[in-house]
Each structure stands twice: as C-alpha cells, then as structure tokens.
Amino acid sequence: LLGFGALAAGAVLLLPLAALASRSNARRSVADTLVPLQGVADDMARILPEDLSHRVATPTGQQDITELATTINGMLDRVEHAHRTLESFTADASHELRTPLTHIRARVQWCLGEQRTDDEIQEALSAIQREVDRTTKMADDLLVIARGENRQLSVDREEFDLTEVVHEVEEITHAMADGKEITVSGVANDPVLAVGDANRTRQVLLNLASNAVRYTPAGSVRFATEQSDTMVCASVQDTGIGISPEQLEKIFNRFYRGDASRSRAFGGSGLGLTIAKVLAELQGGRIEVSSASEQGSSFTLWLPRSDGNLRKS
Ligand code: ADP
C-alpha cells in the first residue's frame, strides 16, 4: 500500500512535468514543420507571371513538405508550358497575319499613285481580294485550332458511314486535280461505320486530299478504307514529292511549311495538318503518316469504330 502511495505521489509530481515536456515537444514539431513551410511560401512569393521560371527548392527537410513542394513544382511546369505555348501562338499568329496585311497596304498605296489605268487598278483590286480571302481563311483556321486545343469546339459523337464521306471527298479531289496529270482512285461502296463527326471528318480528309494533289506534280492519289476491332480508317495515298524524315517531325506544327509550299507565290498557310490533327484527336482518333522523299506519302485518319449501338440522332 505504501509502495502504491509513493508511486501515486510520484505520478502526481511527474505528470505536470511530462505534460510540459510533451507540450514543448509538440511545439518543436510544429516549428519543424513551419520552418520548411515558410521556405516554400517564400519561394512561391518569388514566382511572378512575368517570370515563371522559379521553382520551390527541394528537398525541404521534411518529407511531407517536400512532397507538397514537388507537386507545386509539377503544377508550375504545366503552367509555364501553357504560358509559353500561348505566347508563341500569339507571336506566330501576329507574324503570319502581318505579311498579307503588308502586301495589301503596298498594293493600296500603289493604286493611290498617279496615272494608274482602270485595268491596272482592276487587277490590283483582284489581287487585294485574293489576299483578303486568304487572310480571312487564316483567321478562321486559327480560331478552329485555338478552340480545338482548348476543347471548346463542338464535335458530334454519332454513328456515320466513313465510306460516304470518302466518296464526297473523292469527288472534290477530282475537281482539285483538274488540269493536272493525276489519276484519282476511290473506295468501293462497303459501309465502314465510325463514331464521330461526319463534317469534321470531311474537313480532315479534304485537307489531306488537297495536300496530296498540291504535292503531286503528276501521278496518282488513292483513297482507301479499313477497319480493325475497335477502329476504322480512311487513308489518302499519293505518289508525289514525299516528305523527308527531318520534315516528318514538324509537319503537324502550326505554320510549318516545307520548301514546296513556301516557294509558291500563294503558298499554303501551314495550318492544314495542324487542323487535321486537332479535329482527329477531338473525335478520339489520330492521324498516321508514312512517307519518303520522292516516293510519295500516305496519311491515315483513324476513328473509333461504331459497335452498332449508337444511332444517328
Ligand atoms: P501547307 O499549307 O503548307 O500545305 P500543311 O499543314 O497542310 O500546310 O502541311 C505542312 C507541310 O507538310 C507542307 O508545307 C508540306 O511540306 C508537307 N506536306 C503535307 N502533306 C504532304 C504531302 N501529301 N506530300 C508532301 N508533303 C506534304
């Protein structure tokens, strides 16, 4: 009993001490956490919209806080990448729009000069109209790309027959190839059911077909369709100038033009394949390309295959 009394008395004496000790332990562990957290906050305060290159220093000395800092750094990488993309998009677009505007201004100034004949002015106005049409198309294309990349473009998810779309594109391709030594061959009538947006798909295939015709001085443009278990595809194959391996990496970049496109008086905008890629991906599909210099190119649009349960609305 005495022993217990002494123990109890000891406990009574020791308990406040223990409480004091644990309170100061707790305070120390809060401080241990707060110091690295303060470091993270200081680093974050240095990150400004005009300079997104700073990062939070790691390791922080506290595992949980280091994990937090790593997550913040990952988010900053993504924000910086998006910011750079937007910056270069704006810079590229302004540059590309300046060129035709400079041409238009030069022509207008020429028209305003003295002693121009009516015929000369008429001719200059036609040239101005072509430049205006081209610039308008470029602005429209840029809008599609910007909206598409931000997923703000409406895209149907309906069952449609890819063969029908290919037939329409074939017909237009015949017209585009008019006056050139190009044979256009098409696909049979067998239905190939895809899920997606028939109009957007037509736009993709028209871009591919117009390239095939433009980059084939003489030869053939051939359409084909195929299906696998889950996907269907339409391909456009040409026997034209082909694409070198170095160019192949860049052709889907916006405003990228190969030499053949650049050397034309009214060359392409370099946006056709960017649009095609964006529209394919928005439909859950993709574009594959195989090509070699001087041997022609083959572009294939893959789309999800319909399992027959989706019906046209
Ligand atoms: P462009 O308006 O210049 O045709 P695109 O985005 O449609 O722009 O194509 C980008 C570049 O890819 C072209 O400038 C050209 O160099 C190359 N290219 C695209 N399709 C073909 C093709 N069928 N054959 C050869 N080169 C092609």
Side-chain angles (χ1 to χ4, degrees), residues 234-247:
S235 60
V236 186
Q237 195 175 352
D238 66 60
T239 58
I241 61 170
I243 305 164
S244 67
E246 309 85 70
Q247 285 192 318

Side-chain angles (χ1 to χ4, degrees), residues 211-212 214-215 238 241-243 247 251 256-259 261 268-274 297 299:
N211 280 350
R214 278 192 299 141
Y215 300 114
D238 66 60
I241 61 170
I243 305 164
Q247 285 192 318
I251 54 171
Y256 176 79
R257 300 177 185 90
D259 294 338
S261 178
S269 64
L271 296 175
L273 287 180
T274 314
S297 316
F299 285 83

Side-chain angles (χ1 to χ4, degrees), residues 71-255:
T71 310
I72 291 171
N73 284 343
M75 183 199 70
L76 284 168
D77 287 346
R78 292 192 295 280
V79 170
E80 193 186 5
H81 176 74
H83 188 74
R84 274 188 207 283
T85 309
L86 195 65
E87 254 179 7
S88 74
F89 191 101
T90 316
D92 288 350
S94 323
H95 174 79
E96 295 287 337
L97 289 169
R98 269 187 82 90
T99 312
L101 290 176
T102 309
H103 288 171
I104 290 169
R105 192 170 55 190
R107 283 190 199 278
V108 169
Q109 267 163 0
W110 184 87
C111 285
L112 292 173
E114 280 169 27
Q115 291 165 348
R116 308 288 177 221
T117 66
D118 283 356
D119 281 353
E120 281 174 337
I121 288 185
Q122 198 65 36
E123 204 177 301
L125 283 177
S126 300
I128 288 172
Q129 187 166 29
R130 282 196 298 275
E131 287 273 7
V132 169
D133 289 348
R134 209 167 71 93
T135 315
T136 309
K137 173 150 192 334
M138 192 190 287
D140 289 345
D141 285 353
L142 278 174
L143 203 59
V144 169
I145 294 171
R147 288 201 176 134
E149 286 180 348
N150 287 317
R151 307 213 150 247
Q152 284 169 354
L153 206 64
S154 67
V155 169
D156 287 343
R157 261 188 70 80
E158 288 178 348
E159 182 182 284
F160 70 93
D161 183 4
L162 189 57
T163 304
E164 265 178 39
V165 178
V166 173
H167 281 156
E168 290 170 36
V169 175
E170 275 168 29
E171 231 179 277
I172 301 169
T173 308
H174 276 288
M176 289 193 290
D178 198 30
K180 285 185 97 173
E181 303 227 335
I182 293 179
T183 40
V184 180
S185 59
V187 296
N189 282 327
D190 309 332
V192 171
L193 296 185
V195 180
D197 188 315
N199 287 324
R200 306 282 189 200
T201 299
R202 187 183 309 108
Q203 192 177 351
V204 172
L205 293 176
L206 274 175
N207 286 4
L208 300 181
S210 117
N211 280 350
V213 171
R214 278 192 299 141
Y215 300 114
T216 304
S220 68
V221 173
R222 202 158 62 88
F223 291 90
T225 52
E226 246 180 75
Q227 34 196 332
S228 75
D229 286 350
T230 56
M231 305 289 277
V232 293
C233 76
S235 60
V236 186
Q237 195 175 352
D238 66 60
T239 58
I241 61 170
I243 305 164
S244 67
E246 309 85 70
Q247 285 192 318
L248 218 44
E249 291 171 16
K250 303 180 210 146
I251 54 171
F252 291 99
N253 295 350
R254 57 174 177 266
F255 297 121

